[in-house]
Amino acid sequence: MTATTPAAREASQQAPQQASPQALKIALLGAGTVGAQVARILTEDAEMLASRVGARLELAGVFVRNPDGARDYQLPRELYTTDAEALVDSADIVVELMGGIEPAKTLIERAIARGSAVVTGNKALLAQNGSELFQAAAEAGTQLSFEASVAGAIPILRPLRDSLAGDTVTRVMGIANGTTNYILDQMDSTGAAFDDALAEAQSLGFAESDPTADIEGHDAAAKAAILANMAFHAPFRIDEVHCEGITRITAADNEAAAEAGYVIKLLAIAERITAGDGTAGAVLRVHPTLLPREHPLAAVRGAFNAVFVEAENAGELMFYGPGAGGAPTASAVMGDVVSISRRLVRGGAGRTHTPKSVVPALPVGEARTSYMVVLRVADRPGVLAAIASSVAEHGVSIVSMRQVPLSEDDLVAEESEEEYTDEAPESVLRIITHEAKEQDLAATVAALEQLDAVTEVVSVLRVEGN
């Protein structure tokens, strides 16, 4: 067997009769939570990995900004380096776990240009520049693998690419961010306020000190773009994903959801649709969503992730597991490393991913969904009829409409306000619509805001899975 690696090619040019190398050199870029665990696995499980690959996996070095810093798994000092370029040039496989766009992009391009295989978990980079990196890898005949970029330890990208390659995936819907799922789960199960649930997530290490990327939905949006890329075999970018976070979700939203038999989850959704003008494409969206309690995704608790896939022939599939954390994500990284290493030992061209389909990204207004709209309305005769009429005017039908009096907490809060006046009584109205086009539902809500009988549109949440 001949190992087709950059190091092997250089050796063969110098000594054509020399046997193939006994080790593959691995360059690790980044030694954070995931990188440290990858280093641990490469070190502690070296014999097991060698038996599975057919060659030793040798850690050539680890690029870090501070070689003397403390880490979750400490390697000998001589393995740490600040010279990323030299490290990349010495390796057969480059594992990029730094995150961010630069210098990760430049270093990956450097590795690809010299024929080294690359493994990355960098969702932000792939969601922004994935297409050009995939193309570069294809032209260089090398491999760029990225299972760890979505849903941690859950094997989801390889099944979409390989297991379902002979099928047509119509929809992917997933809980792709553990931080937001933990927060929403706490709000649902304990009644915690958003700020308190976020603080607990941070104390447990589920949320960063700056949680913006998670709670505003940006992290899930990057994963939605990658999932759509793999599911529909077409290039998508993060700026084609409609994105809403969870910062506006309140205890009242959770109470209304629970009373209606739903739970709130932040979902990343990519689905094939046909637009009103007949254009076939896909809508990519991330937003808080109501799911029926009996839906499989509704039962995903804590910081776990799950991805629900619908395909024409396979039907409904769900992939579930830990979606973050050093060891789980390192497991996905090492799966890619072992797969690539086996190919290098046996020889052959790199496995490339170059989306060829033309599936345009369509505006979110073309999506079909349902809404739960919570209104604060005047409690007088004729109000319900006026609201129902306004909804019908926009081609939207109502599944249910429930009117409840203001809670005691609301009344006490009002009475404590200096500007409170003894006006006509009010109540809360909860409306759940049938499925309709998103743009029609949005127009319906805008019309409701203009009705004299409506004091406030308290919240609007989409509903899926009915």
Side-chain angles (χ1 to χ4, degrees):
M1 295 183 294
T2 303
T4 56
T5 70
R9 286 194 293 272
E10 292 172 8
S12 66
Q13 292 170 1
Q14 297 172 4
Q17 304 303 316
Q18 184 177 348
S20 58
Q22 298 300 306
L24 297 173
K25 293 185 178 181
I26 313 294
L28 180 57
L29 307 181
T33 302
V34 179
Q37 293 303 313
V38 169
R40 177 187 63 79
I41 294 170
L42 285 168
T43 303
E44 295 182 356
D45 297 340
E47 294 304 318
M48 177 270 287
L49 293 170
S51 68
R52 294 181 181 179
V53 168
R56 288 187 298 107
L57 302 184
E58 180 182 295
L59 184 57
V62 184
F63 167 67
V64 292
R65 290 183 174 84
N66 177 14
D68 297 313
R71 294 176 177 86
D72 293 342
Y73 185 81
Q74 201 67 40
L75 294 165
R77 172 62 177 77
E78 61 268 20
L79 282 175
Y80 296 110
T81 179
T82 58
D83 190 343
E85 293 184 351
L87 181 61
V88 166
D89 291 346
S90 72
D92 301 308
I93 302 172
V94 175
V95 179
E96 184 276 308
L97 297 170
M98 298 182 295
I101 305 301
E102 290 293 355
K105 179 174 179 288
T106 297
L107 291 172
I108 288 175
E109 289 173 335
R110 185 184 185 95
I112 289 172
R114 69 180 302 274
S116 296
V118 176
V119 175
T120 180
N122 195 331
K123 52 190 170 288
L125 176 60
L126 292 173
Q128 179 171 307
N129 302 104
S131 293
E132 59 192 88
L133 294 176
F134 299 147
Q135 185 62 40
E139 291 174 357
T142 190
Q143 190 159 334
L144 171 60
S145 296
F146 48 98
E147 184 65 60
S149 64
V150 177
I154 304 172
I156 180 60
L157 300 184
R158 210 172 278 120
L160 286 173
R161 182 193 66 195
D162 297 337
S163 303
L164 295 172
D167 207 337
T168 298
V169 175
T170 56
R171 194 177 204 220
V172 179
M173 180 168 69
I175 296 168
N177 182 273
T179 299
T180 53
N181 199 58
Y182 181 85
I183 292 170
L184 292 173
D185 184 44
Q186 287 297 107
M187 294 177 72
D188 172 60
S189 60
T190 71
F194 173 83
D195 289 341
D196 294 335
L198 171 58
E200 183 172 353
Q202 289 173 319
S203 70
L204 294 172
F206 295 146
E208 301 288 343
S209 56
D210 179 2
T212 303
D214 295 321
I215 63 177
E216 294 295 350
H218 305 314
D219 175 83
K223 295 169 182 176
I226 296 170
L227 285 168
N229 191 308
M230 301 300 289
F232 306 145
H233 305 280
F236 295 97
R237 294 168 55 95
I238 190 171
D239 56 13
E240 295 173 315
V241 182
H242 174 82
C243 183
E244 300 174 25
I246 66 168
T247 55
R248 296 183 181 179
I249 301 299
T250 65
D253 291 327
N254 276 284
E255 179 184 350
E259 289 185 3
Y262 295 98
V263 63
I264 302 174
K265 298 291 186 182
L266 182 74
L267 295 186
I269 302 172
E271 57 190 341
R272 293 179 185 265
I273 67 165
T274 300
D277 62 1
T279 301
V283 172
L284 283 60
R285 49 195 169 103
V286 168
H287 49 67
T289 308
L290 295 178
L291 285 172
R293 292 276 174 181
E294 61 271 17
H295 193 283
L297 288 175
V300 179
R301 307 291 302 273
F304 277 69
N305 282 191
V307 181
F308 194 76
V309 179
E310 299 174 27
E312 287 185 356
N313 298 303
E316 297 179 344
L317 308 168
M318 193 169 96
F319 302 80
Y320 167 85
T329 307
S331 172
V333 170
M334 289 306 302
D336 282 342
V337 170
V338 168
S339 176
I340 289 172
S341 298
R342 285 171 171 168
R343 177 189 63 77
L344 293 176
V345 167
R346 294 179 178 129
R351 178 73 180 271
T352 59
H353 172 72
T354 49
K356 300 295 185 183
S357 300
V358 179
V359 183
L362 301 175
V364 69
E366 295 291 342
R368 293 188 66 82
T369 185
S370 302
Y371 274 6
M372 182 172 81
V373 185
V374 179
L375 307 171
R376 189 162 172 168
V377 301
D379 192 359
R380 63 173 185 258
V383 168
L384 298 185
I387 289 173
S389 175
S390 179
V391 171
E393 286 177 3
H394 291 84
V396 177
S397 59
I398 294 174
V399 173
S400 65
M401 184 184 298
R402 182 165 183 245
Q403 189 172 9
V404 296
L406 288 176
S407 68
E408 291 185 6
D409 290 342
D410 289 330
L411 293 172
V412 169
E414 284 187 353
E415 291 171 357
S416 67
E417 294 177 2
E418 294 181 3
E419 298 180 1
Y420 174 72
T421 59
D422 188 15
E423 297 178 347
E426 294 181 332
S427 61
V428 172
L429 186 64
R430 297 171 185 161
I431 300 171
I432 297 179
T433 74
H434 279 290
E435 185 181 272
K437 188 175 287 190
E438 170 90 13
Q439 61 191 24
D440 294 334
L441 289 165
T444 300
V445 173
L448 290 174
E449 290 179 316
Q450 303 305 312
L451 292 180
D452 291 338
V454 175
T455 305
E456 179 187 6
V457 176
V458 179
S459 68
V460 179
L461 290 170
R462 296 171 182 84
V463 182
E464 298 286 345
N466 279 334

